[in-house]
């Protein structure tokens, strides 16, 4: 069960030494959900930070690594992506650029997880920039461990968190240009729901409590939730029905993108 905490204050203990002992003994995890990168604090980064962009950047990252991509480098702007990818052999790189849901001119790919076939991805490095998702990755770059999560890899992310045993976790949604996105919050809730079921002791901020409730309400209707969500509707207008169905699938891809040296995301 998830318990709430008030602005990072622990509910039962004000003595730091006793707190540290209790935290280590009981494997208590403190989870903070932030709906957008703008809402995440700039300091006191956690032991582990998780970026979510269900529609579609982190779902695509999971799919690309599952399909055999060598690694993924994320950029907040296209000129930096182009300059960095230039130094990589042309036959070993793919440029994926998305703005407003559509592919950026001059790129090999947009941001569809369905393009991530083994034939396309095998052995290639993906240089990626999207409207919101890659900004979230940039925002949490200072954390010790940085992961990318989607509904598709929810159970693998939770398994890794149980193994890593971080004391503090941030789950940061990408939203849409600074505003809330339903699908990112439901994914945060799915992670918290599974984590708290397995650990028993999880403390969360109010956003974490709300995210878990949202997941509990919609867990059997994920495609329905995507159709209600504003970015889901934007993608429907772009005829991305099959992308939405794919992104709404829970626990289907056993891959966790983790940030490694040089900021490259690789498969755990
Ligand atoms: O906002 C993003 O980063 C993208 O994932 C948006 S889209 O799903 O590719 O339209």
């Amino acid at each position: 069960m998830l318990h709430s905490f008030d602005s990072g204050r622990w509910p039962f203990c004000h003595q730091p030494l006793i707190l540290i002992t209790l935290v280590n003994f009981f494997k208590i995890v403190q989870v903070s959900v932030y709906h957008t990168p703008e809402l995440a604090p700039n300091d006191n980064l956690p032991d582990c930070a998780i970026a979510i962009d269900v529609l579609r950047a982190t779902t695509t990252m999971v799919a690309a690594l599952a399909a055999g991509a060598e690694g993924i480098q994320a950029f907040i702007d296209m000129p930096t992506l182009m300059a960095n990818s230039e130094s990589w052999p042309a036959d070993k790189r793919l440029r994926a650029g998305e703005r407003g849901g559509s592919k950026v001119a001059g790129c090999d790919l947009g941001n569809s997880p369905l393009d991530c076939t083994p034939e396309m991805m095998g052995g290639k490095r993906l240089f990626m920039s999207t409207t919101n998702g890659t900004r979230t990755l940039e925002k949490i770059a200072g954390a010790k461990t940085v992961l990318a999560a989607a509904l598709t890899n929810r159970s693998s992310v939770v398994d890794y968190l149980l193994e890593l045993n971080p004391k503090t976790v941030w789950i940061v949604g990408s939203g849409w240009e600074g505003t809330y996105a339903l699908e990112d919050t439901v994914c945060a809730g799915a992670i918290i729901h599974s984590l708290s079921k397995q650990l028993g002791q999880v403390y969360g901020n109010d956003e974490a409590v709300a995210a878990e409730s949202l997941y509990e309400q919609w867990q059997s209707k994920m495609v329905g939730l995507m159709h209600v969500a504003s970015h889901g509707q934007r993608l429907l207008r772009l005829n991305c029905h099959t992308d939405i169905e794919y992104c709404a699938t829970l626990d289907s891809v056993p891959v966790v993108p983790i940030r490694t040296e040089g900021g490259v995301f690789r498969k755990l």
Side-chain angles (χ1 to χ4, degrees):
M1 186 190 164
L2 182 72
H3 306 271
S4 79
F5 64 81
D6 176 26
S7 318
R9 180 170 54 76
W10 291 81
F12 54 85
C13 178
H14 300 281
Q15 299 296 321
L17 209 62
I18 300 172
L19 172 60
I20 289 164
T21 311
L22 283 170
V23 162
N24 288 327
F25 185 77
F26 289 113
K27 294 193 167 190
I28 293 168
V29 183
Q30 189 178 358
V31 181
S32 299
V33 170
Y34 300 104
H35 296 310
T36 64
E38 291 78 9
L39 288 169
N42 294 318
D43 48 15
N44 292 323
L45 276 105
D47 299 332
C48 177
I50 304 172
I52 296 181
D53 186 10
V54 169
L55 294 175
R56 297 167 289 178
T58 53
T59 307
T60 297
M61 290 173 75
V62 173
L65 291 174
E70 174 269 337
I72 301 171
Q73 276 181 267
F75 299 89
I76 50 174
D77 63 80
M78 288 307 300
T80 316
L81 181 156
M82 288 298 179
N84 276 269
S85 58
E86 214 40 61
S87 61
W88 205 254
D91 61 339
K92 293 220 159 35
R93 74 171 179 231
L94 287 169
R95 290 161 167 162
E98 168 277 327
R99 289 295 179 268
S102 302
K103 178 180 150 184
V104 174
C107 287
D108 305 296
L109 300 158
N111 186 27
S112 172
L114 301 180
D115 289 338
C116 300
T117 59
E119 299 70 39
M120 186 71 149
M121 294 291 148
K124 304 262 177 68
R125 177 160 302 187
L126 193 62
F127 295 84
M128 183 177 191
S129 179
T130 69
T131 311
N132 304 286
T134 50
R135 285 193 303 110
T136 307
L137 292 167
E138 171 86 5
K139 176 70 188 239
I140 62 176
K144 202 165 139 204
T145 301
V146 178
L147 309 176
L151 289 168
T152 52
N153 72 340
R154 184 276 304 257
S155 61
S156 300
V157 168
V158 171
D159 289 348
Y160 183 63
L161 287 175
L162 293 172
E163 188 189 316
L164 186 70
N165 190 26
K167 302 300 168 232
T168 49
V169 176
W170 285 5
I171 305 180
V172 184
S174 299
W176 185 265
E177 295 181 338
T179 61
Y180 176 92
L182 208 50
E183 67 280 6
D184 293 341
T185 304
V186 90
C187 181
I191 293 170
I192 291 163
H193 182 79
S194 173
L195 196 63
S196 51
K197 233 165 75 180
Q198 299 189 60
L199 270 184
Q201 300 277 5
V202 174
Y203 285 83
N205 60 357
D206 284 1
E207 290 88 333
V209 177
E212 191 185 26
S213 300
L214 185 74
Y215 171 72
E216 285 167 357
Q217 170 107 9
W218 285 89
Q219 54 185 310
S220 60
K221 300 170 282 188
M222 281 300 170
V223 176
L225 176 130
M226 304 284 164
H227 284 217
V228 168
S230 57
H231 187 47
Q233 291 180 9
R234 187 177 293 111
L235 289 175
L236 287 173
R237 287 194 293 276
L238 294 169
N239 288 322
C240 297
H241 299 78
T242 41
D243 279 53
I244 288 183
E245 277 174 28
Y246 180 89
C247 294
T249 316
L250 196 60
D251 300 339
S252 52
V253 188
V255 163
V256 180
I258 183 165
R259 198 257 328 268
T260 61
E261 78 293 340
V264 180
F265 282 81
R266 293 210 166 78
K267 162 164 99 167
L268 252 179

